[in-house]
């Protein structure tokens, strides 16, 4: 009998999972490979470019760009936790991931995703202080405070990741070892458990809902005050520049939180695996690819820094 058969799975602890990924024949898998590879390469190059430009250009050594550099780092790690394995699986017939490998992938995926949610809220608060209290900004957002805010985002992400990983992988998996997804995530893993998962689902909805709602409120309140402050300004050029800068952040926030809510923060999300796969591609790959484009194309400072870096490279 196949080593992946259900009889064996019910008699011994799982040693490995099989990531079923997307359905389809060789042509479909080849198309997915090409699509994922192209998007992943753009995401890697875009985020690496943002990190390098912000690091090398002294004019971008400000709190806003410090947070943006950390966002690019998170997006780079976020997609890299998932897509090298997903790309390998589209060209492989086994699609196996070890039990320990699944735990590691799940932990770091959850860590990076939650940290990014907190960091986006921090970035909104940074813009709020910069625009609504500009005289206090150099003190309120001094380097030590910025470092603590980023560290706090990582600590919050780590705490959530530990809780989610512990709750999920403490379940007995014996109904099957085929994960109906292209990476290890909570909803498809809960479907494999041969125990009541009600508490796990409630914990997932409660924690993820609290994080999403809490950070969204920070963003909305911050941008509410920002909008009022900008509308009171007399300079049309100043209003345009601030709306452009804040618009980039709001676009990134809307895309990220919207897709997370569809998957994790609403009842019944666990039931929709096919929709979940498509939405997962969007927030684990498309958004990390779009963020550098959103922030560079709509930000004059970043475009100027890219031009200066290009000029230096040409002159060498």
């Amino acid at each position: 009998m196949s080593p992946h058969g259900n009889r064996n799975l019910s008699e011994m602890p799982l040693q490995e999972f099989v990531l079923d990924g997307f359905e389809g024949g060789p042509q479909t898998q080849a198309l997915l490979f090409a699509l994922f590879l192209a998007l992943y390469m753009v995401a890697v190059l875009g985020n690496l470019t943002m990190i390098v430009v912000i690091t090398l250009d002294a004019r971008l050594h400000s709190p806003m760009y410090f947070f943006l550099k950390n966002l690019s780092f998170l997006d780079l790690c976020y997609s890299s936790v998932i897509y090298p394995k997903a790309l390998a699986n589209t060209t492989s017939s086994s699609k196996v991931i070890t039990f320990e490998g699944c735990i590691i992938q799940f932990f770091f995926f959850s860590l990076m995703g939650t940290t990014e949610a907190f960091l986006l809220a921090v970035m909104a608060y940074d813009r709020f202080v910069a625009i609504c209290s500009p005289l206090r900004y150099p003190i309120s957002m001094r380097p030590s405070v910025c470092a603590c805010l980023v560290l706090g985002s990582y600590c919050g992400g780590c705490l959530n990741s530990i809780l989610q990983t512990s709750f999920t992988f403490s379940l007995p998996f014996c109904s099957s070892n085929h994960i109906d997804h292209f990476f290890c995530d909570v909803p498809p893993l809960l479907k494999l458990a041969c125990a009541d998962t009600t508490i796990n689902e409630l914990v997932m909805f409660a924690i993820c809902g609290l994080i999403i709602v809490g950070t969204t409120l920070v963003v909305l309140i911050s941008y509410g005050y920002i909008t009022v402050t900008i509308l009171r300004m007399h300079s049309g050029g100043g209003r345009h520049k601030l709306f452009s800068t804040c618009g980039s952040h709001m676009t990134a926030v809307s895309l990220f939180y919207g897709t997370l809510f569809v998957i994790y923060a609403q009842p019944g999300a666990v039931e929709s695996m096919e929709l979940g796969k498509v939405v997962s591609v969007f927030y684990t790959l498309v958004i990390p690819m779009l963020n550098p484009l959103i922030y560079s194309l709509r930000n004059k400072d970043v475009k100027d820094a890219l031009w200066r870096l290009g000029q230096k490279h040409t002159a060498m």
Side-chain angles (χ1 to χ4, degrees):
M1 185 175 178
S2 168
H4 303 312
N6 289 350
R7 180 178 59 83
N8 288 346
L9 291 171
S10 63
E11 294 171 358
M12 65 184 69
L14 281 179
Q15 301 298 315
E16 61 186 29
F17 289 106
V18 179
L19 295 167
D20 288 341
F22 288 91
E23 297 179 356
Q27 289 185 335
T28 302
Q29 296 303 314
L31 180 62
L32 287 172
F33 177 83
L35 178 62
F36 286 171
L37 180 62
L39 293 176
Y40 179 61
M41 291 304 297
V42 173
V44 169
L45 291 173
N47 285 293
L48 279 177
T49 299
M50 292 295 290
I51 292 170
V52 170
V53 168
I54 293 171
T55 301
L56 295 180
D57 196 304
R59 300 184 194 185
L60 299 183
H61 292 178
S62 65
M64 182 176 80
Y65 293 107
F66 172 71
F67 295 133
L68 183 54
K69 182 167 74 171
N70 278 276
L71 179 66
S72 293
F73 174 75
L74 284 171
D75 280 337
L76 181 63
C77 296
Y78 197 32
S79 54
S80 296
V81 166
I82 296 171
Y83 284 92
K85 181 64 177 174
L87 285 166
N89 284 347
T90 58
T91 59
S92 172
S93 57
S94 64
K95 302 185 179 183
V96 167
I97 185 171
T98 64
F99 188 81
E100 293 79 11
C102 191
I103 293 175
I104 292 170
Q105 185 187 63
F106 177 84
F107 177 84
F108 282 102
F109 157 72
S110 180
L111 169 63
M112 298 301 169
T114 310
T115 303
E116 182 160 333
F118 285 123
L119 185 62
L120 287 170
V122 167
M123 292 171 72
Y125 173 73
D126 169 70
R127 291 298 84 206
F128 161 72
V129 178
I131 295 170
C132 299
S133 303
L135 297 178
R136 294 172 49 197
Y137 184 70
I139 298 174
S140 299
M141 300 303 291
R142 59 190 181 274
S144 59
V145 173
C146 294
C148 287
L149 288 171
V150 171
L151 181 61
S153 298
Y154 275 98
C155 289
C158 189
L159 178 60
N160 176 60
S161 186
I162 290 171
L163 289 173
Q164 296 284 3
T165 305
S166 302
F167 269 92
T168 302
F169 288 93
S170 63
L171 291 168
F173 299 105
C174 55
S175 61
S176 173
N177 69 338
H178 283 257
I179 299 176
D180 187 17
H181 216 304
F182 59 93
F183 68 97
C184 296
D185 197 8
V186 175
L189 282 167
L190 293 185
K191 283 188 168 292
L192 303 185
C194 52
D196 186 10
T197 61
T198 303
I199 293 178
N200 295 75
E201 292 184 30
L202 289 175
V203 167
M204 181 184 74
F205 292 139
I207 295 176
C208 293
L210 181 63
I211 291 170
I212 293 172
V213 171
T215 52
T216 300
L217 281 176
V218 171
V219 172
L220 291 177
I221 292 171
S222 297
Y223 276 98
Y225 279 104
I226 288 170
T227 302
V228 172
T229 302
I230 292 175
L231 291 176
R232 288 175 178 172
M233 295 177 68
H234 299 292
S235 170
R239 282 202 302 266
H240 176 74
K241 181 178 179 180
L242 290 175
F243 269 126
S244 178
T245 302
C246 296
S248 300
H249 185 241
M250 281 304 297
T251 302
V253 166
S254 302
L255 290 171
F256 185 77
Y257 285 128
T259 51
L260 285 186
F261 182 82
V262 170
I263 294 292
Y264 302 109
Q266 60 170 332
V270 176
E271 303 299 325
S272 182
M273 288 296 103
E274 290 305 314
L275 174 63
K277 292 177 192 179
V278 176
V279 176
S280 294
V281 171
F282 195 79
Y283 77 82
T284 60
L285 185 58
V286 176
I287 291 177
M289 179 204 70
L290 288 176
N291 277 345
L293 299 176
I294 291 170
Y295 283 104
S296 62
L297 294 178
R298 298 192 62 175
N299 189 307
K300 186 177 183 298
D301 292 336
V302 174
K303 286 189 284 189
D304 289 345
L306 284 167
W307 183 82
R308 286 192 295 271
L309 189 63
Q311 290 294 102
K312 285 182 181 179
H313 180 74
T314 304
M316 291 176 64

